[in-house]
Amino acid sequence: MEKFLLKYFTLIRVIIAIGIGIVISVFLIYLTSQEPGFSLRSFLLGPFLTRSRLAHLFETASPIIFCGLAIAVAFQAKQFNIGAEGSLYLGAAVGTAFAVSTNMPAFIHVPLVLLIAGLTGALWSFIPGILKAKWKASELVSSLMLNYVAYFLGLYLINYHFRDKEAGFLVSFKLPETAWLARFIPDTRIHYGIILALVFAVLVYYFLYHTTAGYEIRSTGFNERFARFGGISVFKVIILCQVILGFLAAFGGMTEVMGIHRRFLWQSSPGYGWDGIIVAIIGRSHPLLIVPASFFLAYMRVGGRVLNLMSDVPAEMVMVIQSIIILLITAEAFLSQWKYRITVRQAERGGAA
Amino acid sequence: MNPLLQSILSAEFGFAIFRVMTPLLFASIGVSISRLAGTINISMEGTMLVSAFVGVLVSAFTNSLILALLAGVAAGVAMGAILSYFHLRLKADIILAAIALNMFASGITVFLLFLATGDKGSSSSLKSMLFPEVHIPLIKSIPVLGTIISGHNIMTYGAFLAIILFYIITFKTPLGLRIRAVGQNPHAAESVGINVNRTRMWALMLSGFFGAFGGLYLSMGYVSWFARDMTAGRGWIAIAAATLGGYMPLGTFLASLLFGAVNALAIYFASLQIPSELIALIPYLATVIALTIYSAQAQKKRHRKVEEAKQVGTIKETT
């Protein structure tokens, strides 16, 4: 039992942190709601109760998986680029612009639109990468500032050049049907984006753990000096993981546009880039753990939305809970006393035998 | 004369710069002091947001400006304390912990705003108070200069005092000495008996203290209400300003002035026939450019030092 605890200590810690988060949410609901029992049920069970909410869970998870993978690649190299949001926004805007102004058969149109969006994101993310690699400009600050620039550029592109004036509100033209991602479960909006997300999770896992470039990224993150001495070009690694980050984020954003809305309607940035950071932390930057982490976050989000609709508790409670969970997970010393005691006990027993 | 040039050269433009730079100045002082101790506080965005919210709420319910000020500052210090607890005691990565704190601030303020007012957008239904404007006698009657310097919110003058206070704390107090020592070399500082963690804790709490004023000014001076995510990236621009200013009092001041001017310029550009989206991105783009130029300069300096050291080395070898 104790051996098991030691082996899966990190995982157990994550689960305990999530548990504490849920306990706090129960506490908050009882504190604020007039009918706490009902509110609590809406929050915790709500996402599973109807077919459309369950579908919503999958729809919400898919862009988050993409962004989580994007951030995970950067985190593995210890690059704190938080520019996924900007890449996603601008990439999806440019992808939309391309999709509505071209006409071709679906089997070329769909991959081409996705590719254009992804490349735009990669190019955008290349900027903080090159600034960091060449001049050591903090990628944290520059990528965040570029998020705002990307947002306003994307907004300008859509509102001034691709706006559908007949739609009644500020949205782009509808994408031609040839650029739609098909929905494969009737009466839901679950589209092929989720399948692509899962495929990419496996691809990124393979890339990080079974290729030379992936090894170089992980080595750089583990110890930059060591990597340098080992002959790894840190310059290349920084650029590479930033470009991958931008590509994945923008690709994910585009699948959402092509599969769910079928036009560009984000007048404010959707926030998936930040969700990516959350799931990268919860999933410990491991591509395969990003998937369950994303579903967990999607579950909290859908729960929050149900809560907002059905009860008197605002959905922002979820933001509070998720930040507490992240704080606990990143706190390395949280529960380490406990681990220490088990290790000591194990060692003593080993010594006696 | 070109109308744009005319408005930039006017005294009102000078006034606008000071108005816009006030929150940036407070926040970048906060960032600088934490960075001097070697633990950069990037939760400035959240700190300002929480203080802005607490100030409005307390002033609306107590009708006391003093209580609002105290509560807002206490909230800012508390944010610094939470960050230092998670980073120093629980060994959380400071960047990730600060990102989490920023999310926390964004969520908790809207959550509580909704509970207090039933509105999630802004606190406009609450009757909150404002910090007073100060008209300096004599100076206000001087043409041009009077328009630029006089008539500001008391917080703007407070920001100038804060720069002096920052200078005094850093260079004239034992705490400042410890902060700088810990930032430059924690092991050396520890070897002479300085408690590294406690010093960093103080630095982070001071950082929250200064940031709090920036937040209070935003909701009770710049405008008279709290709106969700009203800091709009100022906490991050402050990090860029602090970096650009080399984390030193005068540098921080000049960098904030620069960003204030760019921001004010963006407001003035709005009078032209340029899409508002393209104007809104100017300050952020300017930040990236300024940060890059600064980093490139700093790198050049480092290279030169290395080259000099190498040359000294070769001279010694040959003699």
Side-chain angles (χ1 to χ4, degrees), chain B residues 70-201:
Chain B
L70 290 177
V73 170
V77 174
M79 289 289 281
I82 295 172
L83 183 62
S84 67
Y85 179 76
F86 271 93
H87 175 56
L88 301 170
R89 279 293 290 278
L90 295 181
K91 304 287 171 221
D93 182 287
I94 193 161
I95 292 176
L96 297 181
I99 289 177
L101 265 186
N102 284 335
M103 280 176 195
F104 177 78
S106 178
I108 195 85
T109 48
V110 178
F111 183 73
L112 294 177
L113 181 69
F114 179 76
L115 293 184
T117 67
D119 189 343
K120 280 186 182 183
S122 82
S123 69
S124 47
S125 62
L126 293 177
K127 233 184 102 57
S128 63
M129 300 170 78
L130 281 172
F131 289 107
E133 284 171 1
V134 180
H135 294 274
I136 311 168
L138 290 178
I139 290 182
K140 75 173 174 194
S141 44
I142 305 173
V144 185
L145 195 68
T147 324
I148 297 175
I149 295 181
S150 181
H152 282 288
N153 193 284
I154 192 166
M155 282 288 188
T156 303
Y157 302 109
F160 286 87
L161 284 181
I163 275 285
I164 299 169
L165 188 63
F166 173 38
Y167 173 77
I168 293 173
I169 291 175
T170 315
F171 294 103
K172 303 287 173 199
T173 65
L175 177 65
L177 181 66
R178 285 202 293 269
I179 285 178
R180 283 179 295 137
V182 164
Q184 275 174 12
N185 191 336
H187 299 296
E190 203 167 9
S191 71
V192 292
I194 295 175
N195 187 331
V196 174
N197 274 1
R198 189 177 298 160
T199 309
R200 288 187 162 160
M201 184 192 80

Side-chain angles (χ1 to χ4, degrees), chain B residues 7-302:
Chain B
S7 50
I8 287 173
L9 291 174
S10 70
E12 283 78 18
F13 185 66
F15 184 88
I17 292 179
F18 283 134
R19 191 176 115 85
V20 172
M21 77 178 281
T22 302
L24 288 179
L25 192 50
F26 278 122
S28 50
I29 293 173
V31 173
S32 295
I33 211 161
S34 66
R35 177 59 175 73
L36 284 179
T39 42
I40 192 161
N41 179 4
I42 65 158
S43 68
M44 200 42 83
E45 186 85 2
T47 305
M48 289 167 84
L49 203 57
V50 167
S51 294
F53 174 72
V54 169
V56 162
L57 210 63
V58 171
S59 85
F61 285 112
T62 63
N63 268 322
S64 158
L65 213 50
I66 301 291
L67 280 180
L69 178 73
L70 290 177
V73 170
V77 174
M79 289 289 281
I82 295 172
L83 183 62
S84 67
Y85 179 76
F86 271 93
H87 175 56
L88 301 170
R89 279 293 290 278
L90 295 181
K91 304 287 171 221
D93 182 287
I94 193 161
I95 292 176
L96 297 181
I99 289 177
L101 265 186
N102 284 335
M103 280 176 195
F104 177 78
S106 178
I108 195 85
T109 48
V110 178
F111 183 73
L112 294 177
L113 181 69
F114 179 76
L115 293 184
T117 67
D119 189 343
K120 280 186 182 183
S122 82
S123 69
S124 47
S125 62
L126 293 177
K127 233 184 102 57
S128 63
M129 300 170 78
L130 281 172
F131 289 107
E133 284 171 1
V134 180
H135 294 274
I136 311 168
L138 290 178
I139 290 182
K140 75 173 174 194
S141 44
I142 305 173
V144 185
L145 195 68
T147 324
I148 297 175
I149 295 181
S150 181
H152 282 288
N153 193 284
I154 192 166
M155 282 288 188
T156 303
Y157 302 109
F160 286 87
L161 284 181
I163 275 285
I164 299 169
L165 188 63
F166 173 38
Y167 173 77
I168 293 173
I169 291 175
T170 315
F171 294 103
K172 303 287 173 199
T173 65
L175 177 65
L177 181 66
R178 285 202 293 269
I179 285 178
R180 283 179 295 137
V182 164
Q184 275 174 12
N185 191 336
H187 299 296
E190 203 167 9
S191 71
V192 292
I194 295 175
N195 187 331
V196 174
N197 274 1
R198 189 177 298 160
T199 309
R200 288 187 162 160
M201 184 192 80
W202 279 112
L204 283 172
M205 280 163 66
L206 271 174
S207 153
F209 171 84
F210 283 113
F213 284 94
L216 283 168
Y217 170 74
L218 273 185
S219 64
M220 302 173 70
Y222 197 77
V223 294
S224 57
W225 60 83
F226 175 85
R228 68 183 301 164
D229 296 323
M230 72 185 303
T231 39
R234 286 186 182 83
W236 294 95
I237 294 182
I239 294 168
T243 313
L244 208 61
Y247 314 110
M248 286 291 138
L250 184 63
T252 304
F253 172 76
L254 291 177
S256 302
L257 191 67
L258 175 71
F259 284 118
V262 173
N263 266 290
L265 209 59
I267 297 170
Y268 272 76
F269 267 121
S271 62
L272 298 172
Q273 294 298 321
I274 301 173
S276 61
E277 288 87 352
L278 295 184
I279 291 160
L281 63 79
I282 294 173
Y284 304 105
L285 191 62
T287 308
V288 177
I289 295 171
L291 180 74
T292 309
I293 294 173
Y294 169 80
S295 307
Q297 292 290 340
Q299 176 140 345
K300 222 184 256 171
K301 221 185 272 174
R302 270 198 305 273

